[in-house]
């Protein structure tokens, strides 16, 4: 992760334009998905109040993934993203599989977001042709991302702020309804609603498991802060701040909002496909609730698509630098933006506009495809942890010198791996997610075939050798600095 890679032709390089507020809000935006606004109804109806523990456990486990990622990114400032340290620590195959899988995840998610944006726009402006908001979304996001990375940061800052304001409004209005004894057809608004309708685990253990199956998808994008590493100002300070705030964000935005929702309205009143946010604001007598929440969800989907365009372009740029993607994608514009990679992402997102006219079953198809995407995200998170294990084994001196160590260390990695195994098992308990789980290996078979062709090409080997030499040079610099620190400490000790 460096803004000044050692090159002989002085190519343009990524610039550090993302400030602390950008990084913080990008991290928050990544942690708050559209699933919280629209998908939480399905999660609550499946797990009941135990969904609170579901979100807490998932957030707790993914916090350690993010801490492992943070320690690795800061261990070598030549890493641009997690695909870089995967390639360095596990081998070139890991960088190839991780980078392209992450790219695939966000392309699929981005296409789904474009379709969602078109659907929400039709709710707000009936009669509007679907292709207009879809095409406008891609065009707007492309223009914003082509300007500078700071423009992306500003856009994502305001998108994330809208989400925060919406959730804060829900919590404030809900607290007012609870403490004023608000009455509705479902009964009074009170915290006792959390346990007075069948207990905290009304659907028993399998209902609790079903909550994991759905809720894990809401955390997709939490690792997005890792793709901003090469363009973050003062990464040693800003990345740890963003990662360390993950538990607070999960408690406030997920757990806090869900506690309020299920206290105002018993969990038995929630239905899949209906937004709990709309239901609660409607109960409060806010007639414009549907319009307000539709606008919030629209901005949330725009935020997700914006993140997708950003992350896929940076990932393809990094893959091209390592020789894992065509060299045309390694070029930056005069504004230090990977414009060719951006064009590729936007062309693929445009397929979402075409698919909107493919038939009425496209919604179900996209449910399965986005499930495949989420399973692939679990793969990416697992590669981050596997890279950490290799780091501890091969670069123990850098771990000892690190100022941002992963808490729990190696034992905690195996705990998280066990949790991921549990999540994969949970996906087998439902027919639709089981089908997606069985289809997912097809993607890795395609990648494996591509890797067998690519790995022996001279151009790939040469670029990967350059990548490794840059990393080695940075490691030598850090090792010298560590050696000087040790020598200085020994000298001070002798003098004393």
């Amino acid at each position: 992760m460096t803004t000044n890679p050692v090159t002989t032709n002085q190519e343009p390089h990524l610039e550090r334009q993302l400030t602390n507020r950008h990084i913080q809000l990008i991290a928050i935006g990544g942690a708050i998905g559209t699933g919280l606004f629209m998908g939480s109804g399905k999660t609550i109806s499946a797990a009941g109040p135990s969904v609170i523990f579901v979100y807490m456990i998932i957030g707790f486990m993914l916090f350690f993934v993010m801490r492992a990622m943070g320690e690795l990114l800061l261990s070598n400032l030549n890493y641009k993203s997690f695909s870089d340290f995967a390639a360095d620590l596990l081998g070139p195959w890991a960088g190839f599989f991780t980078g392209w899988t992450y790219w695939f995840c966000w392309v699929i998610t981005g296409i789904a977001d474009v379709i969602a944006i078109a659907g929400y726009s039709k709710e707000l402006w009936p009669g509007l042709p679907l292709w207009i908001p879809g095409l406008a979304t891609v065009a707007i996001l492309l223009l914003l991302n082509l300007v500078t990375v700071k423009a992306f940061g500003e856009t994502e800052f305001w998108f994330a702020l809208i989400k925060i304001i919406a959730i804060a409004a829900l919590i404030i209005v809900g607290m007012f309804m609870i403490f004023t004894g608000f009455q509705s057809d479902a009964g009074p608004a009170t915290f006792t609603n959390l346990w007075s309708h069948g207990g905290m685990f009304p659907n028993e253990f399998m209902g609790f498991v079903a909550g994991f199956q759905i809720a894990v998808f809401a955390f997709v994008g939490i690792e997005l802060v890792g793709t901003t590493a090469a363009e973050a100002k003062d990464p040693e300070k800003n990345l740890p701040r963003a990662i360390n705030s993950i538990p607070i964000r999960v408690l406030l935005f997920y757990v806090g909002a869900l506690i309020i929702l299920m206290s105002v309205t018993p969990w038995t009143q929630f239905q899949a496909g209906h937004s709990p946010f709309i239901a609660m604001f409607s109960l409060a007598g806010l007639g414009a609730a549907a319009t307000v929440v539709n606008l919030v969800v629209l901005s949330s989907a725009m935020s997700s698509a914006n993140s997708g365009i950003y992350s896929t372009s940076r990932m393809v740029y990094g893959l091209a630098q390592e020789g894992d993607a065509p060299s045309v994608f390694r070029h930056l514009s005069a504004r230090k933006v990977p414009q060719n990679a951006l064009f590729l992402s936007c062309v693929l997102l445009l397929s979402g506009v075409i698919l909107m006219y493919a038939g009425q079953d496209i919604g179900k198809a996209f449910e399965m495809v986005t499930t495949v995407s989420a399973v692939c995200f679990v793969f990416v998170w697992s590669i981050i942890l596997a890279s950490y294990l290799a780091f501890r084994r091969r670069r123990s001196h850098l771990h000892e010198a690190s100022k941002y160590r992963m808490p729990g260390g190696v034992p905690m990695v195996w705990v998280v791996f066990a949790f991921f195994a549990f999540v994969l098992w949970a996906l087998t308990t439902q027919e639709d997610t089981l089908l997606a789980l069985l289809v997912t290996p097809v993607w890795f078979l395609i990648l494996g075939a591509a890797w067998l062709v690519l790995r022996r090409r001279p151009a790939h080997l040469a670029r990967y050798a350059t990548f490794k030499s840059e990393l080695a040079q940075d490691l030598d610099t850090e090792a010298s600095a560590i050696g000087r620190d040790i020598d200085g400490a020994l000298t001070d000790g002798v003098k004393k």
Side-chain angles (χ1 to χ4, degrees), residues 161-389:
L161 201 58
I162 290 171
K163 297 180 192 179
I164 293 170
I165 292 170
I167 296 172
L170 173 114
I171 292 173
I172 292 169
V173 171
M175 291 287 284
F176 178 79
M177 294 169 74
I178 292 168
F179 288 114
T180 56
F182 179 83
Q183 291 278 346
S184 69
D185 293 339
T190 171
F191 287 117
T192 61
N193 281 331
L194 293 172
W195 56 82
S196 60
H197 296 269
M200 294 296 290
F201 294 84
N203 293 330
E204 301 181 340
F205 179 70
M206 291 311 296
F208 184 59
V209 169
F212 282 96
Q213 172 218 346
I214 302 163
V216 72
F217 305 145
F219 286 85
V220 162
I222 198 171
E223 74 300 313
L224 181 63
V225 69
T227 63
T228 67
E231 294 166 289
K233 290 183 178 179
D234 196 2
E236 292 92 342
K237 182 188 297 183
N238 292 332
L239 288 179
R241 280 182 180 175
I243 292 171
N244 288 342
S245 62
I246 286 175
I248 297 172
R249 293 199 299 267
V250 170
L251 286 174
L252 177 62
F253 299 124
Y254 282 98
V255 178
L258 290 172
I259 287 175
I260 293 299
L261 284 169
M262 290 185 289
S263 296
V264 172
T265 307
W267 72 271
T268 52
Q269 302 296 312
F270 292 94
Q271 298 178 2
H274 293 79
S275 171
F277 280 65
I278 294 178
M280 204 201 81
F281 283 126
S282 297
L283 273 179
L286 302 177
T291 301
V292 170
V293 174
N294 269 319
L295 286 171
V296 171
V297 175
L298 185 66
S299 70
S300 181
M302 283 281 284
S303 170
S304 180
N306 193 36
S307 298
I309 288 175
Y310 173 84
S311 58
T312 53
S313 62
R314 268 55 179 186
M315 198 57 73
V316 170
Y317 169 74
L319 288 165
Q321 284 202 317
E322 295 163 27
D324 291 338
S327 59
V328 67
F329 297 120
R330 22 188 332 239
H331 301 308
L332 298 178
S333 68
R335 296 178 180 271
K336 311 299 189 300
V337 170
Q339 62 180 20
N340 292 341
L342 277 170
F343 286 132
L344 172 67
S345 299
C346 290
V347 167
L348 292 171
L349 288 189
L350 285 173
S351 64
V353 179
I354 299 170
L355 287 171
M356 281 186 288
Y357 295 94
Q360 295 188 359
D361 291 335
I362 197 65
K364 291 184 179 179
F366 264 94
E367 279 183 19
M368 192 186 80
V369 171
T370 50
T371 301
V372 172
S373 174
V375 173
C376 290
F377 270 106
V378 173
F379 168 80
V380 171
W381 297 335
S382 299
I383 287 289
I384 291 172
L385 294 177
S387 300
Y388 177 80
L389 291 178

